[in-house]
Every structure is written in C-alpha cells, then in structure tokens.
C-alpha cells in the first residue's frame, strides 16, 4: 500500500485532475493507511471532477458507488449502486465483488458468497473473488468444506502465490487433514521463506 500511495501521489502531481488516481488514493488512505477523513475527502473530490468531465458512464457509476459506500457510509445505497452496474455492465467483476463485500458487512453471508462466485465466473483469471469467497465461507459462514473448495481453486489459479497455499493448508489443518495440510504449508514457505508460518521469522 505504501508504494502504491507514492505512485498515486506522483500521478496526481503530474495531473491533479486525474480522477482515477484521486479516487484510488482516497481508497488506499481509508483501507490501509488509517486516514479515513482525508480519504473520504479525496473520493469526494474525484466524484466532483468526474461529474465535470466527459467521464465514461461505466466509471462514473463505479465512482458513485464508491462514494456512497465510503463517503456517505450508506451500505444499502452502495449495494443498490453496484446492482445498477451489474445490470448495465454484467461483465464487470468489481461490481459483483464489491457487492459481496458489502453483503458481508451487512452479515448477509449466503448472498455474499453467491456474489463472489459470480465475480469468479466473470473474471476466471482474477484471484480476488476466490480469496473473498474463502473468507466468506471459512470465517463467516463456518462452512469449512466450501472454504476448502475455494482455497483449492485459488491455489490452482495462482500456484506461485504463497497465500493461496497457506489458506489451503490452514483449511486442511482445521479438518485434521494433516499430511495434506503440511504439504500445502511447506509449499507456501518454499514460495515465501519469510512467510509468517516460517520458523525463520
């Protein structure tokens, strides 16, 4: 997040009217850097800039949904904005994924899982929906078998990503499938020797 913050700041120095960079920087400030007020201000500025430009309709809808969620802090309204995006642009993965995250925040976990499944269908090479699906099943729905399925799909999609194997290993260990869990966790450490499961840390 820190590196991304620097890149976005540099982009805004070059072009203060760069809507996408301003909105993204606001989101980073809120979600990762503990500066929610500044982040909400930047998202608000981004929306005003977009409304004053010939901004693509699809991106404007997405920005309105972002504003509704993080500036207005209206989750139901943000869910409705994302529903509009899903209906008009059904091939846009973020609207499905964001709907799932909002539904999790609203504790509507079964609906959230369905949204993440759809997001994974729309973007089969993107691992983010599967990570969210794992958290939804494993942490919130307490459906460990469904979580294992999500983890296996994640690991198959991203075999060189340590997190994929660590999530799979954890899920298997909870089910006392220890030999298979050990294999997955060892693979996570092989990929990332500084992983939190490594004895070197």
């Amino acid at each position: 997040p820190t590196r991304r913050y620097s890149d976005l700041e540099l982009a805004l120095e070059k072009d203060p009217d760069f809507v996408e960079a301003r909105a993204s920087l606001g989101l980073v400030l809120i979600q990762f850097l503990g500066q929610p007020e500044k982040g909400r201000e930047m998202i608000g500025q981004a929306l005003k800039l977009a409304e004053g430009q010939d901004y693509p309709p699809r991106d404007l809808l997405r920005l309105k949904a972002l504003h509704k969620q993080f500036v207005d802090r209206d989750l139901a309204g943000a869910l409705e904005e994302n529903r509009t995006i899903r209906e008009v642009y059904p091939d846009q993965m973020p609207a499905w994924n964001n709907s799932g995250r909002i539904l999790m925040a609203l504790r509507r976990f079964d609906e959230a899982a369905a949204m993440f499944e759809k997001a994974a269908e729309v973007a089969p090479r993107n691992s983010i929906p599967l990570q969210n699906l794992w958290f939804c099943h494993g942490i919130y729905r307490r459906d460990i078998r469904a979580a294992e399925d999500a983890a296996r799909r994640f690991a198959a999609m991203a075999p060189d990503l340590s997190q994929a194997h660590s999530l799979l290993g954890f899920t298997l260990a909870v089910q006392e499938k220890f030999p298979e869990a050990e294999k997955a966790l060892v693979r996570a450490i092989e990929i990332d020797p500084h992983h939190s499961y490594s004895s070197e840390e």
Side-chain angles (χ1 to χ4, degrees):
T2 303
R3 181 177 178 181
R4 187 180 180 195
Y5 176 81
S6 299
D7 290 343
L8 291 168
E9 275 198 318
L10 182 60
L12 286 176
E13 285 178 15
K14 293 181 178 180
D15 181 4
D17 293 339
F18 188 175
V19 172
E20 188 67 30
R22 190 167 292 277
S24 296
L25 183 56
L27 200 55
V28 169
L29 288 165
I30 292 170
Q31 293 186 314
F32 300 109
L33 300 180
Q35 299 181 54
E37 290 300 325
K38 185 178 179 182
R40 285 193 283 269
E41 181 182 353
M42 296 198 77
I43 291 173
Q45 292 168 350
L47 180 57
K48 286 183 179 179
L49 283 169
E51 290 175 334
Q53 299 177 3
D54 185 20
Y55 207 59
R58 182 189 65 187
D59 296 332
L60 184 59
L61 283 171
R62 184 184 60 79
L63 197 51
K64 286 181 176 179
L66 191 70
H67 191 279
K68 186 72 72 173
Q69 182 175 353
F70 291 100
V71 179
D72 298 336
R73 285 176 274 189
D74 177 2
L75 294 182
L79 188 61
E80 184 65 18
E81 294 283 358
N82 277 287
R83 182 188 65 79
T84 300
I85 300 171
R86 298 195 317 265
E87 290 179 352
V88 179
Y89 304 103
D91 62 337
Q92 295 300 298
M93 181 278 286
W96 298 96
N97 187 70
N98 293 342
S99 295
R101 292 187 64 84
I102 293 168
L103 286 163
M104 280 205 301
L106 293 171
R107 305 190 66 79
R108 292 160 58 179
F109 301 126
D110 290 350
E111 293 173 77
M115 288 292 175
F116 293 136
E117 284 286 7
K118 183 61 179 180
E121 177 187 328
V122 168
R125 295 184 180 180
N126 193 313
S127 66
I128 291 174
L130 291 178
Q131 294 179 61
N132 285 326
L133 186 63
W134 183 90
F135 279 103
C136 187
H137 285 315
I139 305 300
Y140 297 108
R141 295 188 68 250
R142 302 296 178 89
D143 185 341
I144 199 65
R145 291 186 178 180
E148 179 186 340
D149 176 71
R152 287 189 183 280
R153 290 159 63 189
F154 182 20
M157 174 190 292
D160 296 324
L161 193 62
S162 63
Q163 185 185 10
H165 298 280
S166 64
L167 290 182
L168 177 58
F170 174 83
T171 307
L172 292 166
V174 168
Q175 299 176 83
E176 300 185 1
K177 300 178 180 180
F178 297 123
E180 201 175 357
E182 181 182 12
K183 182 179 179 181
L185 295 173
V186 166
R187 180 58 185 148
I189 295 169
E190 287 175 348
I191 295 169
D192 179 11
H194 301 293
H195 193 283
S196 58
Y197 291 156
S198 173
S199 62
E200 294 180 12
E201 289 294 303

